Amino acid sequence: NVAMGLRWMIQHQGEDGDLRHTLKNNNAGMYAHGQGAIVLSEAYALTGDEQLRGPAQKAIDFIVNAQHAGGGWRYQPGEAGDTGVLGWHMMALHSARVSGLNVPESNLELAGNYLDSVQSASGAKYSYRRGTAANEAMSAEGLLCRMYTGWTKQNPALEEGLEMLLANHAPRANQPNIYYWYYGTQVAHHMGGDQWENWNERMRDILVETQVRDGKFAGAWRPGGPHTAGNDWMYMTSLATCCLEVYYRHAPLFRQIELDEEALVAP
């Protein structure tokens, strides 16, 4: 089933690497491309299948060429960015680097310039676009992107930002926000320690307890919260699953860095 899905994506990929297919004139198109590029990059990393390298690299090249001069991405290639679309493309570029694909450093530096333009509280908070107010979802997304651009655990804005999210916007069953939880889970997981334990205990219990147990939608999560409509079962279920699989899919960024540093000084 996975192989069939990958083949479908490749068959419908444009010559320039575009994965938007029927969504080229839809605001969802660039989100879809970023997610598709993540899929192809991680499929290549997991399998080493050379048939996936070319399509994955083309998808990444499309992202590189679609970046705005100010460092962001939005609904169309070359459009001035917003943090929501930027996050998916930064994850794709990170997956590509891990997979051994070519990602120009200059594009990551440009993304850092965009993040500078939407940050507040010395980099602990982020907004959707320049001039708008910071919120929890964009802050979590912005902090994750900062990790991808090279911020380390020693950067006080990372710890301060996550602490503010936990203090003011910890996951609550009666206030579902799966988009925010998706990014917050990754940030907390990479930071580790007590902050991760605090976040994970809440997120895990809420999602396990609220999964539908029987009927037509058994195994799914009922749509609720921002960015969802009454029929968004796939959206809600996909992101809930991604939150719960963070233990298995994502090696903590900073733990890997620590292991690499230990290897350099090992006798």
Side-chain angles (χ1 to χ4, degrees):
N1 288 328
V2 173
M4 288 171 63
L6 291 169
R7 283 197 296 272
W8 186 93
M9 290 177 63
I10 293 168
Q11 289 166 1
H12 292 86
Q13 185 178 33
E15 287 297 319
D16 59 353
D18 191 351
L19 294 168
R20 291 176 295 168
H21 190 34
T22 60
L23 296 175
K24 290 184 179 182
N25 298 315
N26 188 303
N27 288 354
M30 288 298 286
Y31 286 96
H33 179 85
Q35 292 161 357
I38 294 169
V39 169
L40 291 179
S41 296
E42 295 195 358
Y44 172 64
L46 287 167
T47 65
D49 186 344
E50 285 298 319
Q51 294 183 72
L52 295 172
R53 175 188 277 273
Q57 184 64 63
K58 286 171 62 177
I60 295 302
D61 292 344
F62 182 86
I63 291 175
V64 166
N65 294 326
Q67 189 175 25
H68 182 260
W73 291 266
R74 204 162 191 239
Y75 300 144
Q76 291 296 328
E79 187 177 357
D82 71 58
T83 308
V85 179
L86 174 125
W88 294 101
H89 291 87
M90 288 297 289
M91 282 193 289
L93 295 179
H94 174 69
S95 293
R97 285 195 298 177
V98 171
S99 306
L101 300 174
N102 179 49
V103 178
E105 195 66 31
S106 58
N107 291 89
L108 300 175
E109 293 172 1
L110 263 181
N113 293 341
Y114 170 83
L115 291 166
D116 289 343
S117 74
V118 294
Q119 74 172 26
S120 56
S122 301
K125 296 181 178 181
Y126 294 85
S127 61
Y128 175 61
R129 300 194 81 187
R130 187 173 183 175
T132 62
N135 62 59
E136 65 271 24
M138 294 300 101
S139 293
E141 196 163 351
L143 291 171
L144 180 65
C145 291
R146 287 298 199 183
M147 292 177 176
Y148 293 154
T149 60
W151 279 19
T152 68
K153 264 187 176 179
Q154 284 66 48
N155 192 309
L158 280 180
E159 184 157 358
E160 182 183 344
L162 181 54
E163 200 57 49
M164 285 192 293
L165 294 179
L166 282 165
N168 302 313
H169 305 286
R172 291 180 175 84
N174 62 348
Q175 296 177 355
N177 188 340
I178 197 64
Y179 188 92
Y180 162 55
W181 294 356
Y182 172 70
Y183 280 105
T185 294
Q186 293 184 70
V187 172
H189 177 63
H190 292 317
M191 288 293 283
D194 292 341
Q195 291 175 315
W196 165 238
E197 293 298 328
N198 188 346
W199 177 281
N200 180 51
E201 183 176 349
R202 294 169 177 267
M203 176 275 298
R204 175 199 63 202
D205 290 353
I206 290 169
L207 291 180
V208 170
E209 290 168 6
T210 58
Q211 188 177 27
V212 177
R213 292 290 191 269
D214 49 38
K216 177 181 177 181
F217 293 106
W221 278 266
R222 186 177 302 280
H227 312 297
T228 61
N231 61 348
D232 287 343
W233 289 85
M234 181 64 73
Y235 168 82
M236 192 79 178
T237 301
S238 296
L239 290 188
T241 302
C242 286
C243 288
L244 290 175
E245 69 175 4
V246 70
Y247 322 100
Y248 316 109
R249 278 187 73 244
H250 300 283
L253 286 174
F254 301 125
R255 178 57 184 152
Q256 185 57 52
I257 291 169
E258 290 164 4
L259 289 172
D260 291 344
E261 290 174 346
E262 289 170 7
L264 289 174
V265 298

